[in-house]
Amino acid sequence: GSSQSDLGMAGGIQWARALASGVGRSLVSARGVPMAPLGNVAALSGMAFPGAHAGLRSLALSAACRAGTLPAGSAAAAGRRQLSDAASAPEAAPAPAAAAPYTPAPDKSMFAVVRVGGKQYKVTEHDAIVVEKRLNNGLPMLVGEALTLDEVLMVGNAAGTTLGKPIVEGAKVLTIVEQQTLSPKVYIFKMRRRKNSRRFRGYRASVTQLRIMKISAPP
């Protein structure tokens, strides 16, 4: 099997060199079998060369077409030229993908520092903050309900900043309730050494998620 393949490879290389150089009008294969004349297009297609590799036959025919050793008017020569030109032609660049529609970013130039439940939060419009559970007349606030934060300690933008003493008069932050949920669990573990005493507890606080809708600053 391997010797036959090597013999066919050698024969294909001989045939390719002869076709590219155009020497002689008839060829002899590696096995000594005389081939058809060069002008015989059916023989050039590999039918009369049983030992040659198919890929080498194609390379030899392409080289012969470029060298002009095949008959110019033959159908095989025209077909091989087309294949050679198609192989050497550069690949077309892929079409550019359609650009995504432009969505303007929210204006975050205005900011404020608010105090909610004894904690301070720096917020801008469209931000979300998680605060301690908010109640309305002793009842939990509903999702979608509006809540106005009036304890604004600082408000400003790119033009300037206003500090409160301690709050900014007339400044407000309008929010809506997005979710009433529980905070991530906090684990408490207590152990007394040499007393065989261990205690493991978990705690989740009730919190409210607020979405900042608008920041109103005094004129």
Side-chain angles (χ1 to χ4, degrees), residues 8-54:
M9 185 71 70
I13 293 174
Q14 274 190 353
W15 193 51
R17 288 175 179 172
L19 279 177
S21 60
V23 178
R25 301 300 299 175
S26 64
L27 303 176
V28 177
S29 69
R31 296 181 180 179
V33 180
M35 292 184 57
L38 189 61
N40 189 347
V41 177
L44 291 176
S45 64
M47 299 295 293
F49 193 57
H53 193 272

Side-chain angles (χ1 to χ4, degrees), residues 82-94:
Q82 290 179 359
L83 289 176
S84 176
D85 296 341
S88 61
E91 296 183 359

Side-chain angles (χ1 to χ4, degrees), residues 189-206:
F189 177 75
K190 187 173 182 179
M191 182 188 73
R192 297 177 181 89
R193 62 179 182 173
R194 298 190 299 271
K195 302 298 182 182
N196 194 22
S197 173
R198 295 183 181 183
R199 186 176 66 182
F200 188 82
R201 296 289 185 271
Y203 172 74
R204 298 183 68 185
S206 299

